[in-house]
Amino acid sequence: MFVIFRNYVRANKVNDVSVIIREPDLQINEIFRNDEKAEFTKTLLVGVTEYLHSPYKLQDFQSASRTAKAIYRCTGSVMYIEQALVTFINNQSADGLIPEYAPSLKKSYNSEDTLDLINEVNNYYNISKDNKFLIKVYNKLLTAWNWFLSFENDKCLLENVKYNDEHRLDLMLNLKYYRALNALKNIASVLGEKDTYIMILRKLVKLKNNLFKLFYNKKDCYFNRYIDDECSEYISKNANAVALDVLFDKKNKKARNIILKVFADENDNVHPLSSYYIGELNNALKKQNMETLIEKELSGRKDYIANSYFI
């Protein structure tokens, strides 16, 4: 459905996607009227409209980033992605952390969102090739990384990190750290920062090895959310979706076994997948040529259309 909407926008050169909400006689509304996902697609478009009309309203980083990417996929414009990144970067703390909401006078910082921001800067460069933007934000990203380094243990894993709900070794946070470091490595390469590139590359090898060593359950073929989860009653779909996307670059037997165990089998002891991580799962399934399983995951769900990673 969103692909239909995106193609309509591009074919008719609609610069302001909000016009589709305001003009009921447009052909796209006929498509919506005959589609079971219409209600949820329109919900997304209303959100896009609000973002276009009030781009600096208070919002969290995930909402700002996903909405901006939804606009990009509709119009091809990267302007709102840059705007979302700049809004949060301009509100960084002295340590480089971004706030939970921006712009805001009340500073409450979020370590996990800061890792996501580093990754999104790299994603933005990949579609915009905006070297000037990278140069402008690079030192601010390094400041954030230096803060995280103070929470690294001897295995390169983050532990007891401030501004984070988890105070033990957590797979999800460390997967996002791995992803952020990989993004920072790519940015350093683009900017010719060879020493930083080599330093991060070595750290990534050690971190990846320890993620598998400490969190991967060889016996049952899935990742534990915590290192003391061997006898846990539940399996985290969220953590395994991100692990599959972050740690496997191509077809891999181990990855396929994890998918079959966590996402293909009917298991009562599996925590459901959050809409926030549908995109990661979709990426992982594509790498393993198992895309058809995404339909099984989305069956009966009403929240996925609002996830701009997936659309």
Side-chain angles (χ1 to χ4, degrees):
M1 167 47 58
F2 204 89
V3 172
I4 294 173
F5 167 69
R6 181 190 62 199
N7 291 344
Y8 177 88
V9 168
R10 291 179 180 175
N12 292 276
K13 298 180 180 179
V14 179
N15 294 320
D16 183 358
V17 295
S18 64
V19 72
I20 294 177
I21 299 297
R22 297 196 302 265
E23 299 293 339
D25 58 335
L26 285 174
Q27 183 181 358
I28 191 70
N29 284 287
E30 292 299 320
I31 299 174
F32 286 156
R33 195 170 292 119
N34 296 317
D35 190 279
E36 61 181 6
K37 301 185 183 72
E39 177 186 347
F40 314 114
T41 308
K42 281 198 172 186
T43 298
L44 171 64
L45 298 185
V46 168
V48 170
T49 303
E50 291 176 352
Y51 188 83
L52 282 166
H53 290 168
S54 182
Y56 292 103
K57 71 176 183 178
L58 187 66
Q59 54 193 311
D60 65 274
F61 178 70
Q62 294 294 341
S63 298
S65 175
R66 290 164 193 269
T67 304
K69 283 193 283 187
I71 296 172
Y72 163 69
R73 296 186 187 190
C74 291
T75 66
S77 172
V78 299
M79 177 177 64
Y80 292 101
I81 299 178
E82 180 183 3
Q83 176 183 289
L85 294 172
V86 168
T87 298
F88 280 84
I89 289 172
N90 286 346
N91 282 271
Q92 280 181 301
S93 69
D95 293 323
L97 296 180
I98 64 171
E100 290 186 338
Y101 298 93
S104 175
L105 296 176
K106 182 181 179 181
K107 300 301 187 219
S108 177
Y109 298 103
N110 190 304
S111 55
E112 194 168 316
D113 281 354
T114 303
L115 294 175
D116 287 338
L117 176 129
I118 296 173
N119 183 56
E120 291 303 338
V121 169
N122 182 55
N123 289 339
Y124 169 73
Y125 173 77
N126 288 337
I127 61 175
S128 70
K129 303 304 178 186
D130 187 349
N131 284 61
K132 290 182 179 179
F133 180 77
L134 287 189
I135 293 169
K136 184 165 57 176
V137 304
Y138 180 64
N139 285 333
K140 294 186 177 183
L141 301 184
L142 287 183
T143 298
W145 180 36
N146 285 330
W147 183 84
F148 281 103
L149 283 173
S150 66
F151 298 97
E152 265 195 16
N153 61 22
D154 59 352
K155 295 180 174 60
C156 293
L157 293 163
L158 297 180
E159 191 171 13
N160 297 318
V161 178
K162 289 176 65 178
Y163 309 115
N164 186 61
D165 293 336
E166 300 295 344
H167 297 288
R168 52 179 170 163
L169 276 175
D170 172 32
L171 174 63
M172 184 68 83
L173 183 66
N174 279 286
L175 287 171
K176 291 192 173 188
Y177 186 47
Y178 181 91
R179 183 167 64 184
L181 284 180
N182 197 49
L184 196 56
K185 178 203 71 176
N186 295 339
I187 294 169
S189 176
V190 170
L191 298 180
E193 300 286 342
K194 293 182 180 179
D195 291 343
T196 302
Y197 174 87
I198 293 171
M199 184 193 312
I200 296 175
L201 186 61
R202 290 171 177 167
K203 190 177 290 289
L204 283 168
V205 172
K206 186 175 181 179
L207 177 55
K208 186 174 184 177
N209 287 338
N210 284 318
L211 284 170
F212 275 99
K213 183 178 179 181
L214 294 175
F215 293 98
Y216 182 62
N217 186 324
K218 295 180 181 179
K219 178 183 176 182
D220 295 315
C221 298
Y222 64 86
F223 282 91
N224 294 312
R225 177 69 192 265
Y226 307 102
I227 59 173
D228 54 356
D229 264 3
E230 288 291 341
C231 300
S232 175
E233 185 179 352
Y234 293 104
I235 301 171
S236 170
K237 279 191 173 183
N238 291 344
N240 279 274
V242 178
L244 286 163
D245 184 34
V246 169
L247 300 178
F248 298 94
D249 296 326
K250 55 188 178 181
K251 288 181 71 174
N252 181 283
K253 183 178 179 181
K254 186 180 292 183
R256 293 177 67 86
N257 287 338
I258 294 170
I259 291 170
L260 292 173
K261 170 69 176 182
V262 180
F263 298 97
D265 291 349
E266 297 294 337
N267 294 317
D268 293 331
N269 63 331
V270 177
H271 273 155
L273 184 71
S274 164
S275 62
Y276 280 103
Y277 299 110
I278 289 173
E280 280 85 347
L281 176 60
N282 193 49
N283 292 337
L285 293 176
K286 285 181 178 178
K287 294 175 193 176
Q288 307 306 323
N289 291 335
M290 301 174 75
E291 299 98 312
T292 54
L293 283 177
I294 197 68
E295 294 300 326
K296 177 180 182 296
E297 191 62 42
L298 298 178
S299 178
R301 298 185 64 145
K302 299 180 180 181
D303 56 353
Y304 78 93
I305 197 64
N307 184 295
S308 61
Y309 280 93
F310 178 65
I311 58 179

